[in-house]
Amino acid sequence: MKRVTFIAVAMLMSIASFAQAKGEHYIAGTFSTDFGTQKTTFQYGQYSESSKTPLNTKLALGAEYGHFVANNFRLAMALGVSYQGIPLEETNIKWLRNKTVSFVVNPNVSYYFPLADRLYYTPEIGASFEFGSIKEELTLHEAYTTPATGWAVYVNLLALEYRVSEKAALGILVGGFQYGTASFAIEDTFGSETKYKSSQSKLNFNTSSVHFRYYF
């Protein structure tokens, strides 16, 4: 009986040691991607014609530092680089694209709701600030590049983290809501510069990211 009690207490202590407790820190690496191809088929009586169009391509790599200011509540700062390619026009060889490369600063907060042993639901609220450039491919051998900046606020609701061990955790994020703006300038053939500003709000569930966190 004493042995069973000792084992039970040891298990509880082990579970508690994996909890997201005040004062814990972590470092993390993140990777996210979003790409694909759209196929369209036109039917003409007994005949049909199909065409394929690439969708927007997004890639992002980043590193994050987090600190738990209270049990299950953490603040974090992430830094990263991102790439986005928007197809513009198809040539005989490849698709011309509008390419954006950015450096991203991303402060965020999250609360960890325990779901099961070592499994947490981790909704996140944050903001991102981007500094980079936009390259528009005009032809196969001609492109126009301009500086660009932007910011966004977001809410990620479909997020989970599993504490693999005392020091390691794996997480996954699927979609969310985001609102942001972007600013850039385009110079015409006469050297005159025109400034543009766009805004966008979106709710999507076709973007996913995974992360690995090391606690210390």
Side-chain angles (χ1 to χ4, degrees):
M1 183 65 182
K2 289 183 178 180
R3 185 176 180 181
V4 173
T5 303
F6 174 78
I7 294 174
V9 171
M11 290 179 62
L12 289 174
M13 290 178 65
S14 174
I15 293 172
S17 69
F18 296 161
Q20 274 69 12
K22 180 180 179 180
E24 275 198 307
H25 308 262
Y26 70 79
I27 54 175
T30 60
F31 170 74
S32 64
T33 181
D34 182 7
F35 62 91
T37 301
Q38 176 178 290
K39 182 178 180 180
T40 304
T41 301
F42 298 95
Q43 192 74 34
Y44 307 99
Q46 297 180 348
Y47 304 95
S48 62
E49 180 180 346
S50 298
S51 63
K52 290 185 178 181
T53 304
L55 301 177
N56 293 355
T57 299
K58 296 180 181 179
L59 297 171
L61 288 171
E64 182 177 84
Y65 168 78
H67 173 69
F68 283 81
V69 295
N71 290 347
N72 295 331
F73 180 73
R74 64 120 174 106
L75 304 178
M77 173 63 73
L79 302 176
V81 292
S82 69
Y83 164 83
Q84 177 174 269
I86 301 175
L88 300 174
E89 181 182 353
E90 185 180 16
T91 67
N92 293 330
I93 301 176
K94 70 168 191 175
W95 276 84
L96 300 178
R97 297 176 184 270
N98 190 328
K99 300 178 180 180
T100 303
V101 179
S102 302
F103 174 71
V104 183
V105 180
N106 170 213
N108 60 83
V109 299
S110 179
Y111 191 85
Y112 284 56
F113 294 92
L115 297 180
D117 181 14
R118 308 187 192 182
L119 180 64
Y120 296 85
Y121 169 57
T122 60
E124 178 180 294
I125 299 175
S128 64
F129 305 90
E130 300 188 19
F131 311 89
S133 63
I134 298 176
K135 180 180 180 182
E136 182 178 356
E137 297 178 331
L138 304 177
T139 68
L140 289 176
H141 307 290
E142 183 182 5
Y144 178 83
T145 302
T146 180
T149 59
W151 63 269
V153 292
Y154 66 87
V155 178
N156 293 329
L157 295 177
L158 297 181
L160 295 171
E161 181 172 307
Y162 180 71
R163 195 73 175 261
V164 179
S165 68
E166 182 180 0
K167 297 293 185 180
L170 293 175
I172 185 170
L173 167 69
V174 181
F177 173 79
Q178 176 178 299
Y179 172 81
T181 68
S183 301
F184 57 94
I186 293 180
E187 186 177 289
D188 60 27
T189 55
F190 301 101
S192 178
E193 188 176 76
T194 303
K195 295 182 178 180
Y196 293 88
K197 184 176 182 180
S198 64
S199 61
Q200 182 185 58
S201 60
K202 60 181 180 180
L203 176 65
N204 71 76
F205 297 99
N206 64 341
T207 302
S208 61
S209 65
V210 295
H211 65 253
F212 171 82
R213 286 178 175 156
Y214 177 79
Y215 285 84
F216 60 97

